[in-house]
Coordinates of all heavy atoms in Angstrom, one line a residue:
L1 N 92.7 102.4 91.9 CA 92.4 102.8 93.2 C 93.6 103.0 94.0 O 94.6 102.3 93.8 CB 91.5 101.8 93.9 CG 90.2 101.4 93.3 CD1 89.6 100.3 94.2 CD2 89.3 102.5 93.2
K2 N 93.6 103.9 94.9 CA 94.7 104.1 95.9 C 94.1 103.9 97.3 O 93.2 104.5 97.6 CB 95.3 105.5 95.8 CG 96.6 105.6 96.7 CD 97.1 107.0 96.6 CE 97.7 107.3 95.2 NZ 98.4 108.6 95.1
V3 N 94.8 103.0 98.0 CA 94.3 102.7 99.4 C 95.5 103.0 100.3 O 96.6 102.6 100.2 CB 93.9 101.2 99.5 CG1 93.4 100.9 100.9 CG2 92.9 100.8 98.5
S4 N 95.2 103.8 101.4 CA 96.1 104.1 102.4 C 95.8 103.3 103.7 O 94.6 103.2 104.1 CB 96.1 105.6 102.8 OG 96.4 106.4 101.6
A5 N 96.8 102.6 104.2 CA 96.5 101.7 105.4 C 97.7 101.5 106.2 O 98.8 101.9 105.9 CB 96.0 100.4 104.8
R6 N 97.5 100.9 107.4 CA 98.6 100.6 108.3 C 99.4 99.4 107.6 O 98.8 98.5 107.1 CB 98.1 100.1 109.6 CG 97.3 101.2 110.4 CD 98.2 102.1 111.2 NE 98.9 101.4 112.2 CZ 100.1 101.8 112.7 NH1 100.6 102.9 112.4 NH2 100.7 101.1 113.6
D7 N 100.7 99.5 107.7 CA 101.6 98.5 107.1 C 101.8 97.4 108.2 O 102.9 97.4 108.8 CB 102.9 99.1 106.6 CG 103.7 98.2 105.8 OD1 103.2 97.1 105.4 OD2 104.9 98.5 105.5
V8 N 100.8 96.6 108.4 CA 100.9 95.5 109.3 C 100.5 94.2 108.6 O 99.8 94.2 107.6 CB 100.0 95.7 110.6 CG1 100.4 96.9 111.3 CG2 98.5 95.9 110.2
P9 N 100.9 93.0 109.2 CA 100.5 91.7 108.6 C 99.0 91.6 108.4 O 98.2 92.0 109.3 CB 101.0 90.7 109.6 CG 102.2 91.4 110.2 CD 101.7 92.8 110.4
G10 N 98.6 91.2 107.2 CA 97.2 91.0 106.9 C 96.5 92.1 106.2 O 95.4 91.9 105.7
T11 N 97.1 93.3 106.1 CA 96.5 94.4 105.5 C 96.2 94.2 104.0 O 95.2 94.5 103.5 CB 97.3 95.7 105.8 OG1 97.3 96.0 107.2 CG2 96.6 96.9 105.1
L12 N 97.3 93.8 103.3 CA 97.1 93.5 101.9 C 96.1 92.4 101.6 O 95.3 92.6 100.7 CB 98.5 93.1 101.3 CG 98.5 92.9 99.8 CD1 98.0 94.2 99.0 CD2 99.9 92.5 99.3
A13 N 96.0 91.4 102.5 CA 95.0 90.4 102.4 C 93.6 90.9 102.6 O 92.7 90.6 101.8 CB 95.3 89.2 103.4
L14 N 93.5 91.8 103.5 CA 92.2 92.5 103.8 C 91.7 93.3 102.6 O 90.6 93.2 102.1 CB 92.2 93.4 105.0 CG 91.0 94.2 105.3 CD1 89.7 93.3 105.5 CD2 91.2 95.1 106.5
I15 N 92.6 94.0 102.0 CA 92.3 94.9 100.8 C 91.9 94.0 99.7 O 90.9 94.3 99.0 CB 93.5 95.8 100.5 CG1 93.7 96.8 101.6 CG2 93.3 96.5 99.1 CD1 95.1 97.5 101.5
T16 N 92.7 93.0 99.3 CA 92.4 92.2 98.2 C 91.1 91.4 98.4 O 90.4 91.2 97.4 CB 93.6 91.3 97.8 OG1 93.9 90.5 98.9 CG2 94.8 92.1 97.4
A17 N 90.9 90.9 99.6 CA 89.7 90.2 99.8 C 88.4 91.1 99.7 O 87.4 90.6 99.2 CB 89.7 89.5 101.2
T18 N 88.6 92.3 100.2 CA 87.4 93.2 100.1 C 87.1 93.5 98.7 O 85.9 93.6 98.3 CB 87.8 94.5 100.9 OG1 88.1 94.2 102.3 CG2 86.6 95.5 100.9
V19 N 88.1 93.8 97.9 CA 87.9 94.1 96.4 C 87.3 92.9 95.8 O 86.3 93.0 95.0 CB 89.2 94.5 95.8 CG1 89.1 94.6 94.3 CG2 89.7 95.8 96.3
A20 N 87.8 91.7 96.0 CA 87.3 90.4 95.4 C 85.8 90.2 95.9 O 85.0 89.8 95.0 CB 88.2 89.3 95.8
N21 N 85.5 90.4 97.1 CA 84.2 90.2 97.6 C 83.2 91.2 97.0 O 82.0 90.9 96.9 CB 84.1 90.3 99.2 CG 84.8 89.1 99.8 OD1 84.9 88.0 99.2 ND2 85.2 89.2 101.0
A22 N 83.7 92.3 96.6 CA 82.8 93.3 95.9 C 82.7 93.0 94.4 O 82.0 93.7 93.7 CB 83.4 94.7 96.1
G23 N 83.3 91.9 94.0 CA 83.1 91.4 92.6 C 84.0 92.0 91.6 O 83.8 91.9 90.4
A24 N 85.1 92.7 92.0 CA 86.0 93.3 91.1 C 87.3 92.4 90.9 O 87.6 91.7 91.8 CB 86.5 94.7 91.5
N25 N 87.9 92.5 89.8 CA 89.1 91.7 89.5 C 90.3 92.6 89.6 O 90.3 93.7 89.1 CB 89.0 91.1 88.1 CG 90.1 90.2 87.8 OD1 90.5 89.3 88.6 ND2 90.7 90.3 86.6
I26 N 91.3 92.1 90.3 CA 92.6 92.9 90.4 C 93.5 92.5 89.3 O 93.9 91.4 89.2 CB 93.2 92.6 91.8 CG1 92.2 93.1 92.9 CG2 94.5 93.4 91.9 CD1 92.7 92.7 94.3
N27 N 93.9 93.5 88.6 CA 94.9 93.3 87.5 C 96.3 93.6 87.9 O 97.3 92.9 87.4 CB 94.5 94.1 86.2 CG 93.2 93.7 85.6 OD1 92.8 92.6 85.7 ND2 92.6 94.7 85.0
E28 N 96.5 94.6 88.7 CA 97.9 95.0 89.2 C 97.8 95.5 90.6 O 96.8 96.0 91.0 CB 98.4 96.1 88.3 CG 98.7 95.8 86.9 CD 99.3 97.0 86.1 OE1 100.0 97.8 86.7 OE2 98.9 97.1 84.9
V29 N 98.9 95.3 91.3 CA 99.1 95.8 92.7 C 100.4 96.4 92.8 O 101.4 95.8 92.4 CB 99.0 94.7 93.8 CG1 99.2 95.2 95.2 CG2 97.6 93.9 93.7
H30 N 100.4 97.7 93.3 CA 101.7 98.4 93.6 C 101.7 98.8 95.0 O 100.8 99.5 95.5 CB 101.8 99.7 92.7 CG 101.7 99.4 91.2 ND1 102.8 99.0 90.5 CD2 100.7 99.3 90.4 CE1 102.5 98.8 89.3 NE2 101.1 99.0 89.2
H31 N 102.7 98.3 95.8 CA 102.8 98.4 97.2 C 103.9 99.5 97.5 O 105.1 99.1 97.3 CB 103.1 97.1 97.8 CG 103.0 97.0 99.3 ND1 104.1 96.9 100.1 CD2 101.9 96.9 100.1 CE1 103.7 96.8 101.4 NE2 102.3 96.8 101.4
Q32 N 103.5 100.7 97.8 CA 104.5 101.8 97.9 C 104.8 102.1 99.4 O 103.9 102.6 100.1 CB 103.9 103.0 97.2 CG 104.8 104.2 97.2 CD 106.1 104.0 96.4 OE1 107.1 103.6 97.0 NE2 106.2 104.2 95.2
R33 N 106.0 101.9 99.8 CA 106.4 102.3 101.2 C 107.2 103.6 101.2 O 107.1 104.4 102.1 CB 107.2 101.2 101.9 CG 106.4 100.0 102.3 CD 107.3 99.1 103.2 NE 106.5 98.0 103.6 CZ 106.7 96.8 103.1 NH1 107.5 96.6 102.1 NH2 105.9 95.8 103.6
A34 N 108.0 103.7 100.2 CA 109.0 104.9 100.2 C 108.3 106.0 99.4 O 107.4 105.8 98.6 CB 110.3 104.4 99.5
F35 N 108.8 107.2 99.6 CA 108.5 108.4 98.8 C 107.0 108.7 98.9 O 106.4 109.1 97.9 CB 108.9 108.2 97.3 CG 110.3 107.8 97.2 CD1 110.6 106.6 96.6 CD2 111.3 108.6 97.5 CE1 111.9 106.1 96.5 CE2 112.6 108.2 97.4 CZ 112.9 107.0 96.9
T36 N 106.4 108.6 100.1 CA 105.0 109.0 100.3 C 105.0 110.0 101.4 O 106.0 110.2 102.1 CB 104.1 107.8 100.7 OG1 104.5 107.4 102.0 CG2 104.2 106.7 99.8
T37 N 103.9 110.7 101.5 CA 103.7 111.7 102.6 C 103.0 111.1 103.8 O 102.7 111.8 104.7 CB 102.9 112.9 102.1 OG1 101.6 112.4 101.7 CG2 103.6 113.6 101.0
L38 N 102.9 109.7 103.8 CA 102.2 109.0 104.9 C 103.1 108.9 106.1 O 104.3 108.9 106.0 CB 101.8 107.6 104.5 CG 100.8 107.6 103.3 CD1 100.6 106.1 102.9 CD2 99.5 108.2 103.8
A39 N 102.5 108.8 107.3 CA 103.3 108.6 108.5 C 104.0 107.3 108.5 O 103.6 106.4 107.7 CB 102.3 108.7 109.7
A40 N 105.0 107.1 109.3 CA 105.7 105.8 109.4 C 104.7 104.7 109.7 O 103.7 104.9 110.4 CB 106.7 105.9 110.5
Q41 N 105.0 103.6 109.3 CA 104.2 102.3 109.4 C 102.9 102.4 108.7 O 102.0 101.6 108.9 CB 103.9 102.0 110.9 CG 105.1 101.7 111.7 CD 104.8 101.4 113.1 OE1 103.7 101.6 113.6 NE2 105.8 100.9 113.9
N42 N 102.8 103.3 107.7 CA 101.6 103.4 106.8 C 102.1 103.1 105.4 O 103.3 103.2 105.1 CB 101.0 104.7 106.8 CG 100.1 104.9 108.1 OD1 99.9 104.0 108.8 ND2 99.7 106.1 108.3
V43 N 101.2 102.7 104.6 CA 101.6 102.3 103.2 C 100.5 102.7 102.2 O 99.3 102.9 102.6 CB 101.8 100.7 103.1 CG1 100.5 100.0 103.4 CG2 102.4 100.3 101.8
E44 N 100.9 103.0 101.0 CA 99.9 103.3 99.9 C 100.0 102.1 99.0 O 101.0 101.7 98.6 CB 100.3 104.5 99.1 CG 99.9 105.8 99.7 CD 100.2 107.0 98.9 OE1 100.9 106.9 97.8 OE2 99.7 108.1 99.2
I45 N 98.8 101.6 98.7 CA 98.7 100.4 97.8 C 97.8 100.9 96.7 O 96.7 101.3 96.9 CB 98.1 99.2 98.5 CG1 99.0 98.8 99.7 CG2 97.8 98.1 97.5 CD1 98.5 97.7 100.6
E46 N 98.4 100.8 95.5 CA 97.6 101.2 94.3 C 97.2 99.9 93.6 O 97.9 99.0 93.4 CB 98.5 102.0 93.3 CG 98.8 103.4 93.9 CD 99.5 104.3 92.9 OE1 99.7 103.9 91.7 OE2 100.0 105.3 93.3
L47 N 95.9 99.8 93.2 CA 95.3 98.7 92.6 C 94.8 99.1 91.2 O 94.1 100.1 91.1 CB 94.2 98.1 93.4 CG 94.4 97.7 94.8 CD1 93.1 97.4 95.5 CD2 95.4 96.5 94.9
V48 N 95.1 98.3 90.2 CA 94.4 98.5 88.9 C 93.4 97.4 88.9 O 93.7 96.2 89.0 CB 95.4 98.3 87.7 CG1 94.7 98.4 86.4 CG2 96.5 99.4 87.8
I49 N 92.1 97.8 88.8 CA 91.0 96.8 88.9 C 90.1 96.8 87.7 O 90.1 97.8 87.0 CB 90.2 96.9 90.2 CG1 89.4 98.3 90.2 CG2 91.0 96.8 91.4 CD1 88.4 98.4 91.3
Q50 N 89.4 95.7 87.5 CA 88.5 95.6 86.4 C 87.1 95.5 87.0 O 86.8 94.7 87.9 CB 88.7 94.3 85.6 CG 87.9 94.1 84.4 CD 88.2 92.8 83.7 OE1 89.1 92.1 84.1 NE2 87.5 92.6 82.6
T51 N 86.2 96.5 86.6 CA 84.9 96.5 87.1 C 83.9 96.5 86.0 O 84.2 96.6 84.8 CB 84.7 97.8 88.0 OG1 84.9 98.9 87.1 CG2 85.6 97.9 89.2
R52 N 82.6 96.3 86.4 CA 81.5 96.2 85.4 C 81.0 97.5 84.9 O 80.5 97.6 83.8 CB 80.3 95.4 86.0 CG 80.7 94.0 86.4 CD 79.4 93.3 86.9 NE 78.9 93.9 88.1 CZ 79.3 93.6 89.4 NH1 80.2 92.6 89.6 NH2 78.7 94.1 90.4
S53 N 81.1 98.6 85.7 CA 80.5 99.9 85.4 C 81.0 100.9 86.4 O 81.6 100.6 87.4 CB 79.0 99.8 85.5 OG 78.6 99.6 86.9
P54 N 80.7 102.2 86.1 CA 81.1 103.3 87.0 C 80.4 103.0 88.4 O 81.0 103.3 89.4 CB 80.6 104.5 86.4 CG 80.7 104.2 84.9 CD 80.3 102.8 84.8
Q55 N 79.2 102.5 88.4 CA 78.5 102.3 89.7 C 79.2 101.2 90.4 O 79.3 101.2 91.7 CB 77.0 101.8 89.4 CG 76.3 101.4 90.7 CD 76.2 102.5 91.7 OE1 76.1 103.7 91.4 NE2 76.2 102.1 93.0
H56 N 79.8 100.2 89.8 CA 80.5 99.1 90.4 C 81.8 99.7 91.1 O 82.2 99.2 92.2 CB 80.9 98.0 89.4 CG 81.4 96.8 90.0 ND1 82.3 95.9 89.4 CD2 81.3 96.3 91.3 CE1 82.6 94.9 90.1 NE2 82.0 95.1 91.3
I57 N 82.4 100.7 90.5 CA 83.6 101.3 91.1 C 83.2 101.9 92.4 O 83.9 101.8 93.4 CB 84.2 102.4 90.2 CG1 84.8 101.7 88.9 CG2 85.3 103.2 90.9 CD1 85.1 102.7 87.8
T58 N 82.0 102.6 92.4 CA 81.5 103.2 93.7 C 81.3 102.1 94.7 O 81.6 102.3 95.9 CB 80.2 104.0 93.4 OG1 80.5 105.0 92.4 CG2 79.7 104.6 94.6
E59 N 80.7 101.0 94.3 CA 80.5 99.9 95.3 C 81.8 99.4 95.9 O 81.8 99.0 97.0 CB 79.7 98.8 94.5 CG 78.3 99.2 94.2 CD 77.6 98.2 93.2 OE1 78.2 97.1 93.0 OE2 76.6 98.5 92.7
V60 N 82.8 99.3 95.0 CA 84.1 98.8 95.5 C 84.7 99.8 96.6 O 85.1 99.4 97.6 CB 85.1 98.6 94.4 CG1 86.5 98.3 94.9 CG2 84.6 97.4 93.5
L61 N 84.6 101.1 96.3 CA 85.1 102.1 97.2 C 84.3 102.1 98.5 O 84.9 102.2 99.6 CB 85.0 103.5 96.5 CG 85.9 103.8 95.4 CD1 85.5 105.1 94.7 CD2 87.4 103.8 95.9
E62 N 83.0 101.9 98.4 CA 82.2 101.8 99.6 C 82.5 100.5 100.4 O 82.6 100.6 101.7 CB 80.7 101.8 99.2 CG 80.2 103.1 98.8 CD 78.8 103.1 98.2 OE1 78.1 102.0 98.1 OE2 78.3 104.1 97.8
A63 N 82.8 99.4 99.8 CA 83.2 98.2 100.5 C 84.5 98.4 101.2 O 84.7 98.0 102.4 CB 83.3 97.0 99.5
L64 N 85.4 99.1 100.6 CA 86.7 99.4 101.2 C 86.5 100.3 102.5 O 87.1 100.0 103.5 CB 87.7 100.0 100.2 CG 88.2 99.0 99.2 CD1 88.9 99.8 98.0 CD2 89.3 98.1 99.8
Q65 N 85.6 101.3 102.3 CA 85.4 102.2 103.4 C 84.7 101.4 104.6 O 85.1 101.6 105.7 CB 84.5 103.3 103.0 CG 84.2 104.3 104.1 CD 83.3 105.4 103.6 OE1 82.7 105.4 102.5 NE2 83.2 106.5 104.4
Q66 N 83.8 100.5 104.3 CA 83.1 99.7 105.3 C 84.1 98.8 106.0 O 83.9 98.4 107.2 CB 82.0 98.9 104.7 CG 80.8 99.8 104.3 CD 79.7 99.0 103.6 OE1 79.8 97.8 103.4 NE2 78.6 99.7 103.2
A67 N 85.2 98.4 105.3 CA 86.2 97.6 105.9 C 87.2 98.4 106.7 O 88.2 97.9 107.3 CB 86.9 96.8 104.8
G68 N 87.0 99.7 106.8 CA 87.8 100.6 107.6 C 89.1 101.0 106.8 O 90.0 101.5 107.5
L69 N 89.0 101.0 105.5 CA 90.2 101.3 104.7 C 89.9 102.7 104.0 O 88.8 102.9 103.4 CB 90.5 100.2 103.7 CG 90.8 98.9 104.3 CD1 90.7 97.8 103.3 CD2 92.2 98.9 104.9
Q70 N 90.9 103.5 103.9 CA 90.8 104.8 103.3 C 91.2 104.6 101.8 O 92.3 104.1 101.5 CB 91.7 105.8 104.0 CG 91.5 107.2 103.6 CD 92.4 108.1 104.5 OE1 93.4 107.7 105.0 NE2 92.0 109.3 104.6
S71 N 90.3 104.9 100.9 CA 90.6 104.7 99.5 C 90.1 105.9 98.6 O 89.2 106.6 99.0 CB 90.0 103.4 99.0 OG 88.6 103.4 99.1
Q72 N 90.7 106.0 97.4 CA 90.2 107.0 96.5 C 90.5 106.5 95.1 O 91.3 105.7 94.8 CB 90.9 108.3 96.7 CG 92.4 108.2 96.5 CD 93.1 109.6 96.8 OE1 92.5 110.6 97.1 NE2 94.4 109.6 96.7
L73 N 89.7 107.0 94.2 CA 89.8 106.7 92.7 C 90.9 107.6 92.2 O 90.9 108.8 92.4 CB 88.5 106.9 92.0 CG 88.4 106.6 90.5 CD1 88.7 105.1 90.3 CD2 87.1 107.0 90.0
V74 N 91.8 107.0 91.4 CA 92.9 107.7 90.8 C 92.8 107.5 89.3 O 92.6 106.4 88.8 CB 94.3 107.1 91.3 CG1 95.4 107.9 90.6 CG2 94.4 107.2 92.8
H75 N 92.9 108.6 88.6 CA 92.8 108.6 87.1 C 94.2 108.5 86.5 O 95.1 109.1 86.9 CB 92.0 109.8 86.6 CG 90.6 109.8 87.1 ND1 89.6 109.0 86.7 CD2 90.1 110.6 88.1 CE1 88.5 109.3 87.3 NE2 88.8 110.3 88.2

């Protein structure tokens, strides 16, 4: 998954807690500040997660959206 968010204290904690509360396991986290097209003070966070099914992936994306986070599935 790729999540775009404001680079402020607590954002990474919100993202990881939201994914965990949705029942997914996080295997890797990549926190990218440089070389993005995002505005200043924004960050792209890529997560490699373990889910139960394709439907579970959709549930994780919906949970991130409900938390006010912009996310997308990356292949």
Side-chain angles (χ1 to χ4, degrees):
L1 303 177
K2 185 183 293 185
V3 182
S4 301
R6 298 276 298 156
D7 192 12
V8 297
T11 298
L12 184 57
L14 173 62
I15 293 167
T16 58
T18 302
V19 171
N21 289 337
N25 187 43
I26 298 172
N27 295 333
E28 294 179 34
V29 176
H30 301 275
H31 193 252
Q32 181 65 269
R33 283 191 183 103
F35 309 113
T36 69
T37 58
L38 298 173
Q41 297 182 347
N42 285 347
V43 64
E44 276 186 351
I45 299 172
E46 292 184 9
L47 305 171
V48 177
I49 64 171
Q50 182 179 5
T51 59
R52 296 182 299 270
S53 65
Q55 176 59 33
H56 190 205
I57 295 168
T58 301
E59 292 168 10
V60 172
L61 290 169
E62 288 172 357
L64 288 164
Q65 183 179 12
Q66 289 176 0
L69 298 163
Q70 193 174 23
S71 61
Q72 62 182 357
L73 183 62
V74 179
H75 299 283

